[in-house]
Amino acid sequence: MQFKPKSLILGMALALSSSALYAAVSAEEAAKLGDSLTPMGGEVAGNIAGTIPAWTGGLSTSDDRYVNPYANEKPLFTITADNMAQYQANLTPGQQALMQKYPDTYKINVYPTHRSASIPDSVIASTKENALNATLTSDGNGISNLNEGVAFPIPANGLEAIWNHMTRFRGGALERTFVQVPVQANGSFTPVKINEKMSWPTYLNGKNSDQDNILFYFVQQVQAPARLTGNVLLVHETVNQITQPRQAWTYNAGQRRVRRAPQIAYDAPGTATDGQRTTDNLDMFNGAPDRYDWNLVGKQELYIPYNNFKLADRELKYKEILQPGHINPELTRYELHRVWKVEATLKDSARHIYAKRTFYIDEDTWQIAVVDHYDGRGELWRVGEAYHLQYRDVNVPWIAAEALYDLQSGRYLVGSLTNEEGIGFDFTQRFKYKDFTPQAIRRLGKR
């Protein structure tokens, strides 16, 4: 059942106009953070039915991030094509479509709900500052007075909600090595090994003059298979991509040249994805929001991937995870959580392969959990899921993997898998500005 807390949503049913006033919340509203609201803006209280518990601070820290604190739990029940009508109110259209397409193999194992999300105290403090000071600018395409952490923990509209996903805390700086796997309809696949480095400006060793409008710096290097090795992507992700478009460069190993790449945005094909993902599908959604009208529909209780420690198990092999049509459902964990439902509708004046996207965003982390993508005919096309994982050693809520299922072709793409890649996500790294320059990616490409 959907509900719309009036204290949190004002005028959300109306699409934002260019004359809208984007104001920070009052001190009285901000005082709810850490009281009736979690530091990230979720409701502290559980639901009336008792199937969603109260938030009590999240999982405690642990030196071993991959130890599963819920390993002994069994599913409460399993949702399949045969009984999904019983649970329809808590499933997205995309989840139901997956069950209908794969009635013999796709299912959702539902476990007890644990609100495990937690973030460092410093990010809690800066998120509260954002609530008091951050405002949308340029018709919602930029943010002023942005500190580290979620920009709008008490959102008033769809644009603020999607910006919360893009500004959420992801460790500040990290290096990760993972595989991205385009899986064919028959289940065959060739993993693409990728190394990425990311840093938010405040985590760089040393400053640079162009940081005022920078959200983060990003370098992506393909390491395998051999035919793709040496291709490198560099991105300076700007906050306001209308006044200052995303700055991107590519190094092509075959040409041995660094080129500006303004096309790395929106619905341009993603790197090494076999055409199965757009650029703005990475991390469920990224980049400028200007091509869509954003509507904050309200909240909904939904079965979403959560606490996927089993999927992150270091003993698993990729061949055990990846099956024809979808990820092995015996390895995924779903729980009932409250999500913000946000509808993005393509503007009449804009172009994109997705005419509509419906986002379901976890209230405790602002991680997009599920996305339903519709084509120009209004047909459901692709279903995206992010398999939540709390990195307990660093208090970072993020993912064990993300998947994008193509309902039309039967193929799918999985990213961020690290089971066979050692440490996977390394949040201890600190970089210099020179690590995110065209000269740096030229050096990477020659290795």
Side-chain angles (χ1 to χ4, degrees), residues 207-227:
K207 303 294 182 180
N208 192 70
S209 60
D210 74 345
Q211 291 178 359
D212 289 345
N213 189 38
I214 296 295
L215 183 60
F216 60 80
Y217 299 96
F218 172 87
V219 169
Q220 180 187 81
Q221 179 187 16
V222 178
Q223 297 183 330
R227 61 185 172 83

Side-chain angles (χ1 to χ4, degrees), residues 342-390:
V342 178
E343 291 181 343
T345 305
L346 189 64
K347 295 177 179 178
D348 291 339
S349 60
R351 181 193 62 80
H352 199 288
I353 65 170
Y354 301 135
K356 179 183 174 183
R357 304 158 98 155
T358 305
F359 298 89
Y360 301 89
I361 309 175
D362 173 38
E363 71 167 344
D364 287 336
T365 63
W366 291 104
Q367 168 72 55
I368 295 171
V370 183
V371 193
D372 290 342
H373 305 79
Y374 297 82
D375 63 20
R377 302 167 298 174
E379 298 292 327
L380 189 58
W381 181 4
R382 289 171 173 166
V383 182
E385 289 196 314
Y387 298 88
H388 164 272
L389 180 70
Q390 178 72 24

Side-chain angles (χ1 to χ4, degrees), residues 2 79 84 87-100 106 108 300-305 334 339-341 358-361 368-374 380 382-385 407:
Q2 294 183 10
I79 306 173
M84 71 177 184
Y87 303 100
Q88 186 174 11
N90 305 116
L91 298 169
T92 76
Q95 290 173 324
Q96 295 175 64
L98 283 168
M99 290 184 189
Q100 292 170 335
Y106 184 81
I108 288 178
Q300 181 175 347
E301 294 180 1
L302 203 70
Y303 296 117
I304 60 175
Y334 288 76
V339 298
W340 290 99
K341 181 179 178 180
T358 305
F359 298 89
Y360 301 89
I361 309 175
I368 295 171
V370 183
V371 193
D372 290 342
H373 305 79
Y374 297 82
L380 189 58
R382 289 171 173 166
V383 182
E385 289 196 314
L407 295 169

